Amino acid sequence: MYDCIVCGSGFAGSVSANILASKYDKKVLIIEKRGHIGGNCFDCIDENGILIHKYGPHLFHTSNKKVWEYLSRFTQWDKYEHKVLCSIDGQNVPIPFNLNTIEQIFEPQKAKKLQEKLLESYELNSKVPILELKKSDDVDLQFLADFIYEKVFVNYTAKQWGMKPSELDSAVTARVPVFVGRDNRYFNDEYQAVPKDGYTKLFENLLNHPNIKVVLNTDFKDMVTIRDNKFYLNGKKFKGKVIYTGMIDELFDYKFGELPYRSVDMRFESIDKEFFQAGATINYPNEHNFTRITEFKHIHPIKSDKTTILKEYPQNYVKGENTAYYPIFTDDNQKRYNQYVEYSRKFDDLVLIGRLAEYKYYDMDDVVERVLDIAKEVEL
Ligand code: UDP
């Protein structure tokens, strides 16, 4: 009855299902364990009439025209360029840490010197990961690097990951580089926006196809079993493709041990005033137990006397208790993941896609790009 089974209805699962159904005319069954589609991109209107992102702020940005054009078939967009402030020594300054931030923090002469030193060593508008800047042998740049490392990265990373920046893959902190320019935006991709009617609507449009059936509130393993490296759907041998976007260790019953993930306790608060803070997100590396506060009204503007904020409290992922949001990038974890990938090769028709299945720190556009690439190579 079905040609393909897709586990999960986030971007990886929903874009895969859409392509399988519409391009290849396949009958697709999506098995989704939550009571809604959209994975961690799910959004909804809350009691204040504000569109909130239930699993943390999702700001769409990409430089990939194909990804942008593909998604634009399923949604209109509201232009939105994300800006983040960071609380340092009692003031809120722009990050990525840039030439403007330097002026806001240091007295004019010192600021000028630091800016000049940066521009002597790096091109205007270049991005310098903090762990790179720390290697500088210039005394002033070393001072600047130590300042940024201490005030922006070390405590935030301790909260977010329970580790030092150097213990994680350097790509993690390189996501928020020092920016040798005056652009205060968090991302500098060509396309930056949020879906006009929300992410959930975008996912509804992706999945609105007669060939796609979505089953909610259902564990993949309740419908699909594995025997002798073959998949069985409701007890019957399944001959088609299985697109799996969940946790790879769970799929294979943790046979090489659990892969560690980081989770976040998302705590929303309704505030009895029009606005709570000056911008969409403020990071708090050095105060509080949460990492950041996001105020959704800045992302999806609406007139209302009340506002909704989200405080993010990172925590360890514990199986069965909370949600796995982030793979944790260390060499040991990668080795364990590689054992799972090696094992997965025994399954001819299994395709692993997404943050959890590929154990990668993908952004939304990376996932869509990945699906589009896979779809080009094989009939998915
Ligand atoms: N980071 C930090 N301080 C900040 C912002 C980011 O130390 O103020 C580091 C931290 O390790 C974080 C990583 O950079 O996990 C990536 O940040 P990003 O904002 O991309 O994280 P996400 O939005 O994916 O949670």
Side-chain angles (χ1 to χ4, degrees), residues 44-52 268-271 304 306-308:
C44 56
I45 305 276
D46 76 351
E47 78 266 17
N48 295 331
I50 296 167
L51 186 60
I52 58 162
F268 290 87
E269 288 176 31
S270 172
I271 309 280
S304 141
K306 294 190 177 177
T307 190
T308 306

Short mmCIF file of all heavy atoms in Angstrom, two decimals, residues 44-52 268-271 304 306-308:
data_model
loop_
_atom_site.label_atom_id
_atom_site.label_comp_id
_atom_site.label_asym_id
_atom_site.label_seq_id
_atom_site.Cartn_x
_atom_site.Cartn_y
_atom_site.Cartn_z
N CYS A 44 2.83 28.05 16.92
CA CYS A 44 1.39 28.15 17.15
C CYS A 44 1.09 29.51 17.81
O CYS A 44 1.98 30.15 18.35
CB CYS A 44 0.90 27.01 18.05
SG CYS A 44 1.76 26.91 19.62
N ILE A 45 -0.19 29.90 17.72
CA ILE A 45 -0.61 31.16 18.35
C ILE A 45 -0.88 30.88 19.82
O ILE A 45 -1.63 29.95 20.15
CB ILE A 45 -1.91 31.67 17.68
CG1 ILE A 45 -1.73 31.81 16.16
CG2 ILE A 45 -2.38 32.96 18.33
CD1 ILE A 45 -1.10 33.08 15.68
N ASP A 46 -0.32 31.67 20.71
CA ASP A 46 -0.52 31.41 22.14
C ASP A 46 -1.69 32.23 22.69
O ASP A 46 -2.41 32.89 21.94
CB ASP A 46 0.79 31.66 22.92
CG ASP A 46 1.08 33.15 23.11
OD1 ASP A 46 0.38 33.99 22.50
OD2 ASP A 46 2.01 33.47 23.87
N GLU A 47 -1.84 32.21 24.03
CA GLU A 47 -3.01 32.86 24.63
C GLU A 47 -2.99 34.39 24.48
O GLU A 47 -4.01 35.04 24.63
CB GLU A 47 -3.18 32.46 26.11
CG GLU A 47 -2.25 33.16 27.10
CD GLU A 47 -0.97 32.40 27.41
OE1 GLU A 47 -0.62 31.49 26.63
OE2 GLU A 47 -0.31 32.73 28.42
N ASN A 48 -1.83 34.94 24.14
CA ASN A 48 -1.75 36.39 23.90
C ASN A 48 -1.95 36.74 22.43
O ASN A 48 -1.77 37.90 22.03
CB ASN A 48 -0.40 36.94 24.37
CG ASN A 48 -0.24 36.83 25.87
OD1 ASN A 48 -1.23 36.85 26.61
ND2 ASN A 48 0.98 36.67 26.34
N GLY A 49 -2.25 35.73 21.63
CA GLY A 49 -2.45 35.98 20.19
C GLY A 49 -1.12 36.10 19.45
O GLY A 49 -1.08 36.55 18.31
N ILE A 50 -0.04 35.69 20.11
CA ILE A 50 1.30 35.85 19.52
C ILE A 50 1.78 34.51 18.95
O ILE A 50 1.59 33.46 19.58
CB ILE A 50 2.28 36.38 20.59
CG1 ILE A 50 1.83 37.78 21.03
CG2 ILE A 50 3.72 36.39 20.09
CD1 ILE A 50 2.50 38.29 22.28
N LEU A 51 2.38 34.58 17.77
CA LEU A 51 2.92 33.36 17.15
C LEU A 51 4.23 33.00 17.85
O LEU A 51 5.20 33.76 17.79
CB LEU A 51 3.15 33.59 15.65
CG LEU A 51 3.57 32.37 14.83
CD1 LEU A 51 2.53 31.26 14.87
CD2 LEU A 51 3.82 32.77 13.37
N ILE A 52 4.23 31.87 18.53
CA ILE A 52 5.45 31.46 19.26
C ILE A 52 6.04 30.20 18.63
O ILE A 52 5.34 29.38 18.04
CB ILE A 52 5.17 31.19 20.76
CG1 ILE A 52 4.08 30.11 20.91
CG2 ILE A 52 4.79 32.47 21.50
CD1 ILE A 52 4.05 29.48 22.29
N PHE A 268 8.18 29.41 28.75
CA PHE A 268 7.50 30.60 28.22
C PHE A 268 6.88 31.37 29.37
O PHE A 268 6.41 30.80 30.35
CB PHE A 268 6.39 30.19 27.24
CG PHE A 268 6.92 29.62 25.96
CD1 PHE A 268 7.21 28.27 25.84
CD2 PHE A 268 7.15 30.44 24.86
CE1 PHE A 268 7.72 27.74 24.66
CE2 PHE A 268 7.65 29.93 23.68
CZ PHE A 268 7.93 28.57 23.58
N GLU A 269 6.89 32.69 29.25
CA GLU A 269 6.22 33.54 30.25
C GLU A 269 5.40 34.58 29.52
O GLU A 269 5.84 35.15 28.52
CB GLU A 269 7.25 34.28 31.12
CG GLU A 269 7.97 33.40 32.10
CD GLU A 269 9.05 34.17 32.87
OE1 GLU A 269 8.90 35.40 33.10
OE2 GLU A 269 10.07 33.54 33.19
N SER A 270 4.20 34.83 30.08
CA SER A 270 3.37 35.90 29.54
C SER A 270 3.61 37.13 30.41
O SER A 270 3.58 37.05 31.63
CB SER A 270 1.91 35.46 29.63
OG SER A 270 1.09 36.53 29.29
N ILE A 271 3.88 38.26 29.77
CA ILE A 271 4.23 39.47 30.52
C ILE A 271 3.18 40.53 30.23
O ILE A 271 2.78 40.74 29.08
CB ILE A 271 5.62 40.02 30.08
CG1 ILE A 271 6.68 38.92 30.12
CG2 ILE A 271 6.02 41.25 30.89
CD1 ILE A 271 7.28 38.60 31.45
N SER A 304 -0.68 44.25 20.78
CA SER A 304 -1.28 43.57 21.92
C SER A 304 -0.70 44.17 23.20
O SER A 304 0.45 44.61 23.22
CB SER A 304 -0.98 42.07 21.83
OG SER A 304 -0.71 41.54 23.07
N LYS A 306 -0.07 42.58 25.81
CA LYS A 306 0.78 41.59 26.48
C LYS A 306 1.88 41.11 25.54
O LYS A 306 1.79 41.29 24.33
CB LYS A 306 -0.07 40.41 26.91
CG LYS A 306 -1.08 40.79 27.97
CD LYS A 306 -1.73 39.59 28.54
CE LYS A 306 -2.68 40.04 29.64
NZ LYS A 306 -3.39 38.94 30.21
N THR A 307 2.87 40.49 26.12
CA THR A 307 3.94 39.95 25.30
C THR A 307 4.36 38.59 25.85
O THR A 307 4.12 38.28 27.03
CB THR A 307 5.13 40.95 25.23
OG1 THR A 307 6.06 40.51 24.25
CG2 THR A 307 5.84 41.09 26.57
N THR A 308 4.97 37.77 24.99
CA THR A 308 5.38 36.42 25.41
C THR A 308 6.89 36.29 25.24
O THR A 308 7.42 36.61 24.16
CB THR A 308 4.67 35.35 24.56
OG1 THR A 308 3.26 35.58 24.63
CG2 THR A 308 5.00 33.96 25.06
#
